[in-house]
Amino acid sequence: MKIDLSGQVAIVTGASRGIGAAIARVLGSCGAHVVINYKTNANLAIDVMNTIKASGGSAEVAGFDVTDEEEVKVSIKSIVERHGKIDILVNNAGISKDGLILRVKPSDWDDIINTSLKGAFLCTSNVARYMIRAKYGRIINVSSVVGLGGNAGQSVYASAKAGLVGLTKSIAKELGPRGILVNAVAPGFIDTDMTKEADHKSVLGMIPLGRVGVPDDVAGVVLFLCSKIGSYITGQVIVVDGGLYT
């Protein structure tokens, strides 16, 4: 079965690299017009846009800070004014600052929670009003297995990602009657800039599938949730970790 998202408008936050960029590319490859959000990496976001266009897809870049209420409101309104709707929102923007709890600074807490959790809340609350009018929408939050099982040295990151799970399940119940599906994906150890400092060899031994994940592994699940194939799934967290969390 071919997945066809032609005519749909998708916003992917934090899409200039890593998992976000892979999600943007796969949605674009299936016909969606992709709005590639970034905060600081404009050149990387443009590279993602150009890759999508070079493959025959449609895309644009949109620089705004997901933690800024006014920026989010204005930017999303502008997207709707240009395209008439928003069908898909992928809340992927997030940061990580690892450290044991005794060394974590309150400012680290604010930065991580604001980007990963508050950012998803702001984008969702603004996009949802347009989806409700259309009686259609797909919202996917990128959480983490760390938000499900915790991890030493990642208490703040785990808190933000666990918060996304609660947000997902609650909003799914609110918006389901309006034709809007809300789900989350929880990646395990994925080869991105965020994990480049980690000891890949030690983690590899704990993954039953015997390999580290790549961004496209996550992007494929997001695509499934955006498609008609996943039309009876909402309020769920799909783990993408090669068996690491099993």
Side-chain angles (χ1 to χ4, degrees), residues 161-214:
K161 295 302 186 178
L164 279 176
V165 172
L167 185 70
T168 297
K169 291 182 175 293
S170 297
I171 296 174
K173 292 182 177 181
E174 290 183 23
L175 300 183
R178 309 298 184 93
I180 302 165
L181 309 183
V182 186
N183 291 289
V185 293
F189 195 86
I190 308 297
D191 188 11
T192 66
D193 288 347
M194 191 176 287
T195 60
K196 65 183 179 181
E197 300 297 330
D199 184 349
H200 285 221
K201 289 185 178 180
S202 63
V203 176
L204 193 60
M206 299 184 288
I207 302 174
L209 290 190
R211 69 172 178 87
V212 171
V214 295

Side-chain angles (χ1 to χ4, degrees), residues 96-104 108 151-156:
S96 177
K97 296 181 181 181
D98 297 346
L100 298 176
I101 190 63
L102 296 180
R103 297 179 181 177
V104 174
D108 294 336
N151 193 35
Q154 290 189 300
S155 58
V156 184

Side-chain angles (χ1 to χ4, degrees), residues 58 79 121 129 135 157 161 169-170 186 199 206 235 237:
S58 177
I79 292 166
F121 159 72
R129 67 181 71 253
K135 297 182 180 179
Y157 182 74
K161 295 302 186 178
K169 291 182 175 293
S170 297
D199 184 349
M206 299 184 288
V237 181

Side-chain angles (χ1 to χ4, degrees), residues 118-140:
K118 181 183 177 182
F121 159 72
L122 289 176
C123 290
T124 298
S125 60
N126 278 277
V127 166
R129 67 181 71 253
Y130 299 107
M131 289 183 170
I132 288 172
R133 293 174 191 172
K135 297 182 180 179
Y136 179 88
R138 301 288 187 269
I139 299 172
I140 295 94

